[in-house]
Amino acid sequence: MPATVIVGAQWGDEGKGKIVDLLAQHADVVCRYQGGPNAGNTVVSGGETFKFRHIPTGILWGKVCVIAAGCVVDPGVLVGELDGLEARGISTETLRLSGNAHLVMPWHVALDGASERRLGRLRIGTTRRGIGPAYADKAARLGIRVQDLLEPKILRQKIETALGEKNVWLERVYGAEPLELESLAAGLEGYAQRLRPYVADTSLLVDRALRAGRVVLLAGAQGTLLDLDHGTYPFVTSSSPLAAAAATSVGMGPSRIDSVLGVAKAYVTRVGEGPFPTEIAGSEGARVRELGAEFGTVTGRERRCGWLDLVALRFAVRVNGITSLALTKLDVLSTFAELPVCTRYRLRDGSESDDFPSHQGDFHHARPVYSVLEGWRQPIDAARSLEDLPPAARRYIEVVEQALEVEITLVGIGAERERVLSARGAEALVDA
Ligand code: IMP
């Protein structure tokens, strides 16, 4: 009964969407387990580009797709995504939305933006999609859930109660415009009608699928280092992208997870603020950004680029229990003569460590210690198997495998679906 978690091993944007898309063809159910419209997955299929925010990319294969209880859903964004897919002839009939997922409301978006503006230089650099405020209300037990959309009277009452408080914050604390009850309630009632058919008990659905021997993919959003508990707090997102969170968010026991596929870029990117030891300064960083088209799918922001960080990746292997790894965008490194890879951090007391620092101050001051690997300096996008890769590219992969003690089973060498090389065939990866 294989259940496979697919988890970002860095700061998000590792190319999880494409890997999920590749594996989804051999799966029966694809669940998104946390995050909300802060995520953006791009899949190129049949020459067409699809961008996803809420819906798992498995919808392109006609698979049952679940937005699980641990997600926060912006109803307007989700409806826009559904309409966009339907308009392109992609059926969304197989989507199931957990009634327990929380809604991102317009005041969450307004508060996220207002809070970031007020923080100024100390801002987190959020996507300003209301994620933090929505999860905060969930924890404070003030949230509005998907199931509330099914009860128009209760929904209106909840909106009214919430607005009473949120407008005080918006006006008095942030000097922002208040939100108006009538137009907001009317908009939500429209979304409620549209979303009603998709609402389901998704925990039960996944349980039944696993009992029937179906293949279930559990796809995380963002990445390990953005985890609320174990990431680079406070420069993190407000949910848990870690593999174990898949179980709680979906509503299944952790013992039912069979394998954890980590996804990492062959280099590192980070959007938003916060420490980044291997960040590449100046024109070389800009070169990686251009070659890798490293601009945010959600916000269009420039991504900060850095060399591969094996200290952080080992940490990701540890906290997620990663059993195999997909290394994406290897082709982006093809023109570099030398490829530094960070194997240790030099700490502020002058000592060196290959363990990821548990103290925020140590991480802020950590300096990378590099091994410099030889580049392959030739295009690799024509390779059809791992054996076709030039020796220096294979060596790069081996160094990562040895440092992590984890097998690299997939290697990304281009944007299209076919440009993912597999050690054993994608089918074998989900058939644990
Ligand atoms: P939030 O999730 O919008 O609250 O943003 C918190 C931090 O997570 C910021 O540094 C964002 O740039 C980052 N973040 C959120 N979602 C993503 C993502 O999908 N990819 C990369 N970074 C993300």
Side-chain angles (χ1 to χ4, degrees):
M1 295 186 293
T4 301
V5 179
I6 295 155
V7 63
Q10 295 159 327
W11 273 291
D13 307 317
E14 298 92 350
K16 294 177 293 292
K18 189 148 16 105
I19 300 297
V20 171
D21 168 62
L22 180 80
L23 301 188
Q25 58 187 310
H26 308 293
D28 301 291
V29 181
V30 186
C31 307
R32 161 92 181 270
Y33 63 80
Q34 45 71 230
N38 48 349
N41 286 320
T42 307
V43 172
V44 182
S45 163
E48 277 196 79
T49 302
F50 294 88
K51 289 187 190 294
F52 295 89
R53 305 281 291 281
H54 281 302
I55 303 175
T57 54
I59 204 83
L60 294 177
W61 295 103
K63 304 294 172 161
V64 173
C65 284
V66 167
I67 299 176
C71 295
V72 288
V73 177
D74 184 322
V77 173
L78 178 55
V79 166
E81 213 175 327
L82 288 167
D83 290 347
L85 285 170
E86 296 280 353
R88 294 169 80 176
I90 311 282
S91 168
T92 60
E93 251 174 43
T94 52
L95 179 71
R96 299 289 178 271
L97 172 60
S98 168
N100 288 357
H102 278 247
L103 295 177
V104 180
M105 302 300 277
W107 54 81
H108 294 136
V109 180
L111 288 167
D112 197 358
S115 157
E116 284 284 274
R117 275 193 293 280
R118 195 168 136 115
L119 282 168
R121 218 171 39 81
L122 299 176
R123 69 186 176 274
I124 295 162
T126 73
T127 60
R128 302 194 180 199
R129 294 301 188 271
I131 305 301
Y135 276 113
D137 274 355
K138 169 179 169 170
R141 292 152 298 176
L142 295 170
I144 300 181
R145 297 191 291 172
V146 165
Q147 57 185 275
D148 295 325
L149 290 172
L150 307 180
E151 310 274 353
K153 253 188 165 164
I154 296 178
L155 177 65
R156 204 186 163 83
Q157 263 170 19
K158 289 194 173 185
I159 296 173
E160 200 167 350
T161 310
L163 260 194
E165 188 198 315
K166 302 299 175 186
N167 273 343
V168 174
W169 274 88
L170 282 171
E171 285 187 276
R172 305 233 185 111
V173 179
Y174 294 118
E177 286 296 309
L179 295 164
E180 205 261 318
L181 172 68
E182 290 310 321
S183 59
L184 208 151
L188 269 171
E189 277 153 20
Y191 295 143
Q193 290 309 319
R194 179 79 170 87
L195 294 178
R196 181 180 284 271
Y198 299 102
V199 181
D201 182 342
T202 51
S203 163
L204 184 63
L205 182 155
V206 171
D207 181 65
R208 287 190 174 146
L210 287 171
R211 282 174 192 275
R214 304 265 186 267
V215 174
V216 177
L217 296 183
L218 306 156
Q222 290 84 47
T224 301
L225 298 169
L226 291 172
D227 183 82
L228 187 56
D229 289 309
H230 299 282
T232 53
Y233 192 90
F235 303 102
V236 294
T237 192
S238 294
S239 64
S240 176
L242 295 192
T248 42
S249 296
V250 168
M252 59 188 271
S255 58
R256 303 183 82 180
I257 296 174
D258 298 279
S259 57
V260 178
L261 174 67
V263 185
K265 266 180 198 158
Y267 49 99
V268 187
T269 61
R270 173 164 209 177
V271 211
E273 309 303 317
F276 183 176
T278 64
E279 184 165 15
I280 313 168
S283 60
E284 214 156 52
R287 193 169 146 211
V288 177
R289 184 177 310 117
E290 290 303 322
L291 288 166
E294 296 296 355
F295 301 91
T297 340
V298 177
T299 60
R301 287 183 291 178
E302 280 190 353
R303 294 180 184 144
R304 300 155 66 192
C305 297
W307 300 118
L308 190 63
D309 184 342
L310 292 175
V311 180
L313 265 189
R314 256 194 307 268
F315 172 74
V317 169
R318 162 157 60 96
V319 294
N320 290 299
I322 288 173
T323 50
S324 64
L325 194 78
L327 194 68
T328 60
K329 297 187 102 167
L330 188 67
D331 54 308
V332 173
L333 301 180
S334 291
T335 59
F336 291 86
E338 293 189 328
L339 297 168
V341 170
C342 171
T343 53
R344 293 189 304 284
Y345 289 158
R346 184 164 301 119
L347 303 177
R348 52 186 161 175
D349 64 3
S351 65
E352 286 187 7
S353 173
D354 55 11
D355 287 324
F356 194 79
S358 62
H359 192 278
Q360 185 185 349
D362 289 334
F363 185 59
H364 276 249
H365 291 95
R367 295 288 167 264
V369 178
Y370 288 114
S371 274
V372 179
L373 304 184
E374 195 192 329
W376 42 97
R377 284 173 289 172
Q378 57 178 287
I380 55 172
D381 48 332
R384 291 292 168 268
S385 74
L386 292 173
E387 291 71 42
D388 292 342
L389 292 174
R394 275 186 278 149
R395 172 88 190 118
Y396 193 85
I397 294 169
E398 267 166 35
V399 166
V400 180
E401 283 184 324
Q402 279 162 12
L404 305 182
E405 296 176 60
V406 166
E407 187 189 2
I408 295 179
T409 45
L410 293 169
V411 175
I413 55 162
E416 301 81 13
R417 228 177 221 164
E418 307 71 46
R419 297 282 176 273
V420 180
L421 308 178
S422 165
R424 279 181 266 137
E427 199 165 355
L429 297 174
V430 291
D431 194 15

